[in-house]
Structures are given as C-alpha cells and as structure tokens.
Amino acid sequence: RKEVEQDPGPFNVPEGATVAFNCTYSNSASQSFFWYRQDCRKEPKLLMSVYSSGNEDGRFTAQLNRASQYISLLIRDSKLSDSATYLCAVNRVVYTGNQFYFGTGTSLTVIP
Amino acid sequence: EPEVTQTPSHQVTQMGQEVILRCVPISNHLYFYWYRQILGQKVEFLVSFYNNEISEKSEIFDDQFSVERPDGSNFTLKIRSTKLEDSAMYFCASRASGTGVYSNQPQHFGDGTRLSIL
C-alpha cells in the first residue's frame, strides 16, 4: 500500500467555486503533514502546514483527521491563479531520521 | 528569505556520460533530499541524507547514483553512465531539524535541474 494517496483529478472548477482535495496516508505513526503547490515545470512550493486543530490561511483551509488518516485542503473563492497541482506530504520519524512521503498530486484548473 | 539553490538549471549530456548535479541547501538545515520528476509524472523520492550519510533511498536510487556533501555547503547528486530514461527534472530539498513543537518542519525545494540525456 502506498504511503500517501491522492486523487490525481483533474479538477476543473469555475472561478469563484469552492473545491476540496483529500489525501490519505497509510502509517498511523505519521507526525507532520503539509500541502505543497506545484506549477507546471516548477518546483513544489510549500502552501501550508497542517496542524492537528486545523488551520486557515486566507482562502485556504487545511484539516487533519487522524482517526481516518487523511488530510484535506479546501480552497474557497477559486482564482485563475490557483490552477496548479497540489501535493500532500507526510512526515514521520524513523530510526534513521525523518522521512517525507509525497502524494502523486491533484491537478486543479480554474476556468474563467 | 533563504532558499535552496541548484546548478545548473539545465544539463544536456550524451548517454553513457556522468553528470553531477549541485545543490546548496539552506544554511542551517540538516536534512537533505533529492527527488526527480519525469515530465508529466509525479515527484519521486530518490534519497535522503543526514549527518553525512544516506538515511533512506528508494528503489530508483541504485548503484548508478551517489550523493555527497563534499564541503559544508554543497550537496551533490552524481549519476554515472546516464541512460535516456534518466531525463527528468531533479529537485533538491532541505529541511531544518526541530524537536517538540518545532518538529513540524517542511521541506524547501530548489527550482530544479532539468537533465536531458541525448
């Protein structure tokens, strides 16, 4: 079973819509969670960390559900500039250090 | 804001040649990573490095690959005897250490080296 799984999409939504992505992780010992954004042919850039209590940054809200082992990202009032691939990342401590696992990414296109 | 830098931005090499991709992680970071992304595909983990040794590597990271931290600032990925299928974007990332409430440290990526094997 993959460490991290995401629906690859694509998600095509109209401008102004609300869209949500989920990402499931397989290891209950996972400790830290993140959402990254990747534009075409660019590097992944940190969008936001995901905290246990959930957190919000402007139009973006991240949630963590440890019982069901998933994280979510909600984007409200979608903008054209939100079009990108969104990657979830999960970190856990192993005896050799910290290991990161990325999902395959979910493609979002916001349509005018 | 400090950032991870990678050189060169684009490397074109003949099949069978060796290449070295260079990365300068953020200065106070202790964990280093290499990833690759074949065009149109997902970001794939290659290797992680901590305390001057490999801490984990994927099945992609075979004997053809090696990493080194030759000095206090550079982190390199060497690919020996390159193959056509090594053509990809290679990303370096680094991460700060942290404990307790500061353990939730994300990785920061460089803008990548596009490797083209002819």
Side-chain angles (χ1 to χ4, degrees), chain A residues 6-83:
Chain A
Q6 282 185 262
D7 179 351
F11 284 65
N12 299 315
V13 302
E15 221 175 341
T18 296
V19 61
F21 310 131
N22 280 345
C23 173
T24 59
Y25 59 95
S26 60
N27 196 312
S28 60
S30 300
Q31 296 173 301
S32 308
F33 309 89
F34 309 91
W35 283 103
Y36 284 78
R37 170 195 169 123
Q38 186 178 28
D39 293 291
C40 187
R41 295 177 181 260
K42 299 286 189 181
E43 76 276 20
K45 289 189 176 178
L46 180 68
L47 181 64
M48 58 198 303
S49 302
V50 186
Y51 300 118
S52 297
S53 54
N55 46 300
E56 188 174 307
D57 182 2
R59 298 182 292 110
F60 298 85
T61 300
Q63 296 276 355
L64 167 63
N65 185 317
R66 285 193 184 273
S68 301
Q69 294 183 198
Y70 75 84
I71 61 173
S72 64
L73 177 69
L74 182 79
I75 305 175
R76 289 182 298 278
D77 188 23
S78 301
K79 311 290 185 193
L80 297 178
S81 57
D82 293 334
S83 298

Side-chain angles (χ1 to χ4, degrees), chain B residues 59-71:
Chain B
E59 61 275 9
I60 301 169
F61 194 88
D62 58 20
D63 292 343
Q64 183 193 7
F65 294 88
S66 62
V67 289
E68 196 175 38
R69 189 157 162 80
D71 53 43

Side-chain angles (χ1 to χ4, degrees), chain A residues 32-34 36 38 41-44 46 49-51 87 91 94 96-102 104, chain B residues 31 33 35 37 39 42-43 45 48 50 55-56 89 91 95 103-111 114:
Chain A
S32 308
F33 309 89
F34 309 91
Y36 284 78
Q38 186 178 28
R41 295 177 181 260
K42 299 286 189 181
E43 76 276 20
L46 180 68
S49 302
V50 186
Y51 300 118
L87 304 165
N91 177 45
V94 295
T96 51
N98 288 274
Q99 299 308 331
F100 258 64
Y101 301 93
F102 282 86
T104 55
Chain B
Y31 298 89
Y33 307 82
Y35 295 85
Q37 188 173 32
L39 187 63
K42 65 177 182 178
V43 175
F45 168 74
S48 58
Y50 170 71
S55 51
E56 189 168 339
M89 183 74 96
F91 293 111
R95 178 182 182 274
S103 63
N104 193 23
Q105 299 295 323
Q107 292 187 10
H108 297 270
F109 285 77
D111 54 10
R114 181 166 299 283

